[in-house]
């Protein structure tokens, strides 16, 4: 399956509601962010707090084009928390932080309009 970032791409093939529920998408608050110079695209290493049930997780996110490190700590983000960990160069990414491509193809983070409890699940 190839995912396109092209806004003109047709919708993906239909899935069932049960398929959707398999993806555990939660809100967490970024508690630490640092440079990730070893990444191929401008990226940061994030530590995100998903509340007491899930705890803190690490993520490698290609968001350096649109965000400065100093504006990330304290920001809420959405992430898939039930993918297996993935090695990204020398770092381990435990969750997939979610975003959308802007007009330049750079990532814009996906987050709620208002603060919600860390660990809240998308439904």
């Amino acid at each position: 399956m190839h995912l396109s970032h092209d806004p003109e791409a047709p919708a993906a093939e239909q899935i069932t509601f049960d398929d959707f529920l398999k993806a555990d998408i939660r809100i967490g608050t970024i508690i630490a962010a640092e440079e990730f110079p070893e990444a191929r695209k401008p990226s940061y290493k994030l530590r995100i707090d998903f509340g007491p049930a899930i705890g803190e997780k690490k993520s490698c996110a290609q968001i350096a084009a649109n965000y400065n490190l100093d504006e990330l700590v304290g920001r809420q983000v959405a992430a898939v928390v039930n993918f297996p960990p993935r090695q990204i160069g020398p770092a381990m990414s435990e969750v997939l932080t979610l975003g959308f491509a802007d007009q330049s193809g750079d990532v814009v983070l996906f987050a709620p309009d208002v603060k919600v409890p860390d660990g809240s699940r998308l439904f």
Side-chain angles (χ1 to χ4, degrees):
M1 170 201 248
H2 173 72
L3 296 178
S4 174
H5 300 294
D6 179 1
E8 300 296 319
E13 131 186 4
Q14 282 191 348
I15 61 172
T16 68
F17 188 68
D18 286 339
D19 289 334
F20 167 73
L21 292 177
K22 290 177 185 176
D24 191 353
I25 301 170
R26 305 283 182 121
I27 290 297
T29 298
I30 298 172
I31 58 173
E34 62 183 83
E35 298 280 347
F36 188 19
E38 302 90 349
R40 283 182 294 194
K41 294 185 179 178
S43 301
Y44 295 137
K45 291 189 279 187
L46 308 175
R47 254 189 25 249
I48 306 168
D49 182 0
F50 291 97
I54 295 172
E56 293 179 17
K57 299 289 181 181
K58 293 181 268 184
S59 182
C60 301
Q62 296 177 355
I63 58 173
N66 281 325
Y67 300 92
N68 295 318
L69 282 174
D70 60 357
E71 66 184 308
L72 291 171
V73 173
R75 181 186 187 98
Q76 286 195 306
V77 293
V80 178
V81 299
N82 65 330
F83 283 154
R86 188 169 167 205
Q87 190 75 39
I88 310 289
M92 184 65 70
S93 190
E94 299 174 304
V95 299
L96 175 65
T97 304
L98 300 177
F100 293 92
D102 65 12
Q103 297 221 319
S104 301
D106 296 316
V107 178
V108 175
L109 291 168
F110 181 63
D113 289 342
V114 297
K115 188 167 178 61
V116 298
D118 288 334
S120 294
R121 185 170 182 178
L122 179 73
F123 64 92

